Every structure is written in C-alpha cells, then in structure tokens.
C-alpha cells in the first residue's frame, strides 16, 4: 500500500488539516493515497479468501502530494490556494523518494474488487480527523 491515511497515527491528511498558514507540497512525486478504513475492509477479504502472492492494495486516483493537499483543503472548506507547489529537490530530505510510486492494483482489478477513488473516501476521513 502507499500514502496510508487514517484516524489514528500521523499521516499527510492530518498534517494538512493541522497546519494553518501557507503550505508547500511537491508536484514531482505521484502515488495513490490509501484510506486505512478502506484498506481494513480489503484486509478482511484477504483473511476470508486467503489469496496467495504479492498484491498491491491502494485506493484509486493517483495524484501528487500537491494535488492531494489542495483537494484536502477544498473538501475541508479551506483555501486550497494556500498550498504552493515545490519540487522534491527543494525539500532537501535525507532519504530519496521515488517520483512515481503509483501501484497498479492489477490483481485487485482482475478480482473485480478495487478500492474506491481516494477522493470518494476523503470526506469521511476529514470528518474523522476534524477537531
């Protein structure tokens, strides 16, 4: 899975909602954000069906961190224009990050059991995280 976000633990959605003022997020890294509640439902399926092999399990809707931040703020009723686009190089982080971390979810697609688009799950997550 990737970019896991939920009610518990530190995650990007919590970070976006918890900060006031200007924000900056990268435009050159793409992945699927994953709502922990959606993943939990799929994990129940794995326990029941016991499939073998390696599976990619994420919500649908690949996006950049910048697009995710803007979407979170828009759904939360905040100003998405307070998010500025930056590059990964501008972050100057010690650990490298892949530019494309989009997982294909091909096996889920063949099973007909894809998770929904993350933007569909986002309003419920924002509601859970609201103070």
């Amino acid at each position: 899975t990737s970019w896991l976000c939920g009610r518990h633990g530190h995650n990007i959605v919590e970070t976006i909602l918890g900060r006031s003022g200007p924000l900056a997020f990268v435009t050159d890294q793409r992945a699927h954000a994953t709502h922990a509640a959606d993943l939990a439902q799929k994990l129940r399926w794995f326990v029941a069906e016991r499939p073998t092999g390696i599976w990619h399990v994420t919500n649908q809707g690949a996006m950049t961190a910048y697009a995710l931040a803007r979407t979170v703020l828009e759904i939360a009723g905040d100003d998405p224009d307070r998010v500025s686009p930056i590059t990964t190089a501008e972050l100057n982080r010690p650990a490298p990050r892949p530019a494309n971390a989009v997982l294909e979810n091909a096996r889920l697609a063949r099973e007909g059991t894809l998770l929904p688009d993350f933007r569909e799950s986002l309003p419920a997550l924002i509601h859970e995280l609201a103070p």
Side-chain angles (χ1 to χ4, degrees):
T1 193
S2 64
W3 288 6
L4 190 60
C5 305
R7 182 174 28 164
H8 303 288
H10 184 67
N11 62 75
I12 191 170
V13 175
E14 174 195 37
T15 297
I16 295 162
L17 293 172
R19 293 202 181 142
S20 59
L23 298 167
F25 282 88
V26 297
T27 58
D28 57 354
Q29 292 180 25
R30 291 175 46 83
H32 287 124
T34 305
H35 186 195
D38 293 338
L39 179 61
Q41 289 179 7
K42 184 53 63 185
L43 292 176
R44 287 184 191 101
W45 178 84
F46 277 95
V47 169
E49 299 298 321
R50 303 187 59 83
T52 60
I54 297 172
W55 292 69
H56 293 170
V57 182
T58 65
N59 284 93
Q60 300 306 291
M63 63 184 82
T64 65
Y66 171 75
L68 175 60
R70 289 183 57 85
T71 303
V72 167
L73 291 175
E74 188 175 322
I75 291 172
D78 201 341
D79 181 12
D81 289 335
R82 69 185 181 97
V83 181
S84 299
I86 60 172
T87 66
T88 300
E90 291 174 280
L91 277 179
N92 197 26
R93 296 278 171 117
R97 300 281 191 263
N100 185 359
V102 175
L103 301 176
E104 192 167 325
N105 295 306
R107 293 186 76 180
L108 286 180
R110 284 194 299 272
E111 293 290 328
T113 58
L114 288 169
L115 272 60
D117 189 291
F118 185 72
R119 289 168 283 253
E120 293 175 33
S121 301
L122 198 50
L125 176 56
I126 289 171
H127 179 74
E128 289 175 347
L129 293 172

